[in-house]
Amino acid sequence: VRAVVGLPLGKPRWLGKLHSTLKERELSARQLGEKQGLVQARSTLESHRDLIATRFLAAFAESMENALPHTGTGSRRSPTVSFDELELMGDDQVQETVELARVQQVVKMAVDEELVTLTSRMSGAQGLTVVNPEANPLRVEVVVAALMTALKGLHVEAAVRTRWLQVGAVSLGDELRHLYASLSSQLERAGVKPAGYVVTQTAAP
């Protein structure tokens, strides 16, 4: 599994798509404040692009190791956050959590079908007969968390980072959808049989 998922990442194409989208919105922006924000986001991306790519791939490699079942020394924590936890956070932490949840939601909507297929194949590749979502180290939560980790380490304004995520969430979903489909095809060609999903029935009222 590690060999398969490690092949297609390379330098994230998402950064190129983000740059193009920022440029397009900048050219079509009517309000001066909006245009200035887009210019700042684009120029900052240009000067940090290689660093973002390097940090993202490093964060992803670490996250992938911890994401596979029975790997890593520490216990993994669910990415979901309760309202009680939000009350204990500072404003920056709350904003970061909201950004994370929003990007995850947008990306999940874009990759739903492909994610189901890939997770089934990944589970099968690990000898499972029933799908285990954690058998897929490329699940949305892992990829988005790695991206957030990479962006948090940059010395850029929070508004710039937020704009990157807002503008780039859809294209990130598109990239992951293509990646998931490609990996599923590789596993199928390798003869990996998909694991099955458990169907639960609800009792009639």
Side-chain angles (χ1 to χ4, degrees), residues 61-203:
E62 181 178 354
S63 297
M64 191 179 70
E65 284 297 318
N66 293 328
L68 283 167
H70 310 302
T71 63
T73 56
S75 59
R76 292 191 303 276
R77 186 173 182 271
S78 171
T80 58
V81 179
S82 69
F83 285 111
D84 289 340
E85 289 176 303
L86 283 173
E87 290 179 353
L88 298 175
M89 293 180 179
D91 290 343
D92 290 343
Q93 288 178 299
V94 171
Q95 179 63 29
E96 180 183 319
T97 301
V98 171
E99 289 174 359
L100 175 64
R102 179 190 173 278
V103 175
Q104 285 184 355
Q105 182 181 27
V106 172
V107 173
K108 282 182 177 179
M109 290 175 63
V111 304
D112 184 56
E113 183 177 342
E114 290 77 12
L115 178 60
V116 168
T117 302
L118 178 60
T119 301
S120 178
R121 293 278 180 189
M122 287 285 194
S123 295
Q126 295 173 54
L128 303 175
T129 56
V130 176
V131 168
N132 175 8
E134 291 192 353
N136 181 4
L138 276 169
R139 56 191 181 272
V140 172
E141 293 85 352
V142 175
V143 177
V144 173
L147 176 60
M148 294 291 286
T149 297
L151 296 184
K152 279 171 56 181
L154 302 175
H155 295 292
V156 301
E157 293 184 17
V160 168
R161 186 182 64 198
T162 297
R163 193 176 294 272
W164 287 346
L165 294 171
Q166 290 175 344
V167 173
V170 173
S171 58
L172 178 60
D174 290 341
E175 283 298 302
L176 278 184
R177 185 174 68 251
H178 292 309
L179 176 59
Y180 289 169
S182 174
L183 291 175
S184 293
S185 296
Q186 289 184 46
L187 290 170
E188 183 178 13
R189 289 195 298 270
V192 175
K193 301 296 182 184
Y197 280 88
V198 175
V199 178
T200 58
Q201 295 182 339
T202 57

